[in-house]
């Protein structure tokens, strides 16, 4: 009787009484096997270099032999690096934060227009936003230097109106922040546009039907709908901007506008015996950005983003 019931259950496809097929274990391991290439890539090109960077940050120099090190646990490298180049850290955070705010101020109206007002011009505007990526980052920054040059139309116009006290824009913090804003603007526009494009326009109409003015609708409906894109765009803009050194190198001065990325670059490739300092600065920058990002996500993140 029991055998007959089990046989009928197997015929009916009861998973509790049907014996597992031979390929079940293979299918169970398939997702993990698919992860292997990605894990190998992260191990070789992220974890191993990170471990080497952390090891270099703790090394000590041989006395009287610049450029030669021995393995040590010299935490003083971090103390010395932060004491010497702490102002560059603050400057990097200030420039990156200012550029992020400017990117948001420019990107939100643009993304809103693309999502709700552009109509058949939406794809054209999207291509124009992405088009700068077709050109090298270095070339774009050099072109920006030409735009802000003393003999350029912008500087000459401001000088004619007596609105440029120093007489020039390049080699100032304004040029560096302008370059950061321009180069990282698409990273802010695209996530916000994606969030607004997926939003239901009827929610905005409902806000107006409930007698809310445009500012109230923007504050209580539109911005919450765009919150995941704002969060992603802020992170995608601030993180690379804080570690950038190209804009400060090409648009800033030799001393007053250098960011921590410029210091790391010079310590690695110019200063003899600067490897431990450069590695300590790199690790410190990563930890600082990680703490700021976690705090920001914890404060403003949403379940949809996380």
């Amino acid at each position: 009787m029991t055998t007959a019931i089990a046989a009928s259950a197997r015929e009916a496809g009861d998973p509790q009484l049907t014996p597992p097929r031979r390929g079940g274990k293979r299918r169970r391991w398939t997702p993990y096997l698919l992860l292997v290439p990605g894990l190998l890539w992260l191990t070789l090109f992220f974890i191993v270099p990170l471990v080497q960077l952390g090891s270099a940050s703790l090394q000590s120099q041989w006395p009287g032999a610049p450029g030669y090190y021995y393995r040590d646990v010299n935490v003083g490298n971090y103390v010395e690096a932060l004491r010497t180049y702490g102002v560059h850290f603050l400057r990097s955070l200030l420039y990156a934060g200012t550029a992020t705010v400017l990117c948001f101020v420019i990107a939100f109206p643009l993304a809103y227009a693309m999502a709700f007002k552009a109509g058949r011009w939406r794809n054209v505007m999207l291509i124009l936003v992405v088009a700068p990526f077709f050109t090298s980052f270095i070339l774009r920054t050099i072109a920006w230097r030409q735009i802000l040059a003393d003999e350029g139309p912008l500087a000459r116009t401001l000088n004619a109106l007596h609105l440029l006290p120093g007489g020039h824009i390049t080699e100032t913090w304004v040029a560096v922040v302008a370059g950061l804003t321009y180069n990282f603007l698409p990273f802010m526009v695209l996530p916000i546009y994606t969030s607004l494009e997926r939003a239901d326009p009827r929610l905005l109409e409902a806000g107006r039907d409930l007698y809310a003015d445009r500012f109230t609708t923007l504050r209580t409906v539109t911005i919450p709908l765009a919150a995941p894109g704002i969060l992603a765009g802020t992170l995608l803009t601030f993180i690379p901007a804080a570690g950038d050194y190209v804009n400060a190198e090409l648009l800033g001065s030799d001393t007053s506008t250098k960011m921590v990325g410029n210091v790391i670059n010079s310590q690695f490739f110019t200063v003899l015996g600067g490897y431990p300092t450069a590695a300590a600065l790199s690790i410190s920058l990563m930890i600082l950005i990680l703490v700021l990002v976690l705090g920001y996500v914890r404060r403003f993140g949403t379940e949809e983003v996380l």
Side-chain angles (χ1 to χ4, degrees):
M1 182 67 177
T2 304
T3 306
I5 295 176
S8 61
R10 283 195 297 270
E11 293 177 359
D14 191 343
Q16 294 182 351
L17 297 177
T18 303
R21 297 178 180 178
R22 292 182 178 180
K25 292 185 178 180
R26 186 181 306 170
R27 286 196 298 269
R28 199 160 50 238
W29 282 99
T30 299
Y32 300 100
L33 294 176
L34 293 175
L35 290 175
V36 171
L39 292 176
L40 289 176
W41 180 273
L42 289 175
T43 301
L44 292 176
F45 299 104
F46 180 73
I47 296 178
V48 173
L50 186 62
V51 171
Q52 291 181 342
L53 188 67
S55 175
S57 68
L58 297 174
Q59 292 178 354
S60 299
Q61 296 186 21
W62 284 104
Y68 292 90
Y69 318 94
Y70 62 91
R71 295 191 177 277
D72 195 5
V73 187
N74 188 3
V75 184
N77 290 334
Y78 287 86
V79 177
E80 182 64 24
L82 294 176
R83 183 170 57 228
T84 306
Y85 302 106
V87 63
H88 295 81
F89 267 96
L90 297 178
R91 187 180 296 143
S92 298
L93 297 179
L94 179 61
Y95 287 0
T98 305
T100 302
V101 173
L102 291 176
C103 283
F104 172 75
V105 171
I106 299 171
F108 191 86
L110 179 58
Y112 183 90
M114 291 169 57
F116 299 119
K117 305 295 183 181
R120 60 191 180 93
W121 296 101
R122 177 183 298 178
N123 292 335
V124 176
M125 296 177 67
L126 187 61
I127 292 174
L128 292 177
V129 171
V130 180
F133 288 136
F134 299 152
T135 307
S136 169
F137 187 90
I138 302 294
L139 293 179
R140 282 185 278 139
T141 307
I142 293 175
W144 196 246
R145 181 180 180 88
Q146 298 301 318
I147 295 173
L148 301 178
D150 296 343
E151 63 276 7
L154 180 60
R156 284 188 295 179
T157 302
L158 293 177
N159 279 322
L161 297 175
H162 303 285
L163 297 177
L164 200 61
H168 60 275
I169 305 176
T170 55
E171 299 184 356
T172 65
W173 68 270
V174 177
V176 177
V177 173
L180 291 172
T181 304
Y182 166 74
N183 282 306
F184 295 108
L185 180 61
F187 293 102
M188 182 70 77
V189 175
L190 295 178
I192 297 178
Y193 164 73
T194 302
S195 294
L196 291 177
E197 196 269 337
R198 292 185 303 173
D200 191 348
R202 291 176 296 181
L203 295 175
L204 304 180
E205 297 176 1
R208 289 191 289 268
D209 291 341
L210 294 174
Y211 304 101
D213 55 27
R214 292 185 176 181
F215 177 75
T216 303
T217 303
L218 175 68
R219 180 175 56 85
T220 58
V221 180
T222 308
I223 292 181
L225 289 175
I230 295 173
L231 176 65
T234 302
L235 298 180
L236 290 174
T237 303
F238 178 81
I239 293 175
D244 181 77
Y245 71 94
V246 174
N247 289 276
E249 186 71 27
L250 297 178
L251 301 176
S253 64
D254 293 335
T255 55
S256 60
T257 61
K258 293 300 182 185
M259 300 171 64
V260 67
N262 302 100
V263 177
I264 294 173
N265 179 71
S266 63
Q267 290 289 327
F268 265 127
F269 300 109
T270 305
V271 178
L272 183 62
Y275 273 34
T277 301
L281 288 173
S282 301
I283 294 293
S284 300
L285 180 63
M286 285 190 289
I287 293 175
L288 179 61
I289 290 178
L290 180 62
V291 171
L292 293 176
V293 167
L294 290 178
Y296 177 76
V297 172
R298 185 179 180 85
R299 174 64 179 84
F300 298 102
T302 60
E303 293 183 359
E304 182 177 352
V305 178
L306 299 177

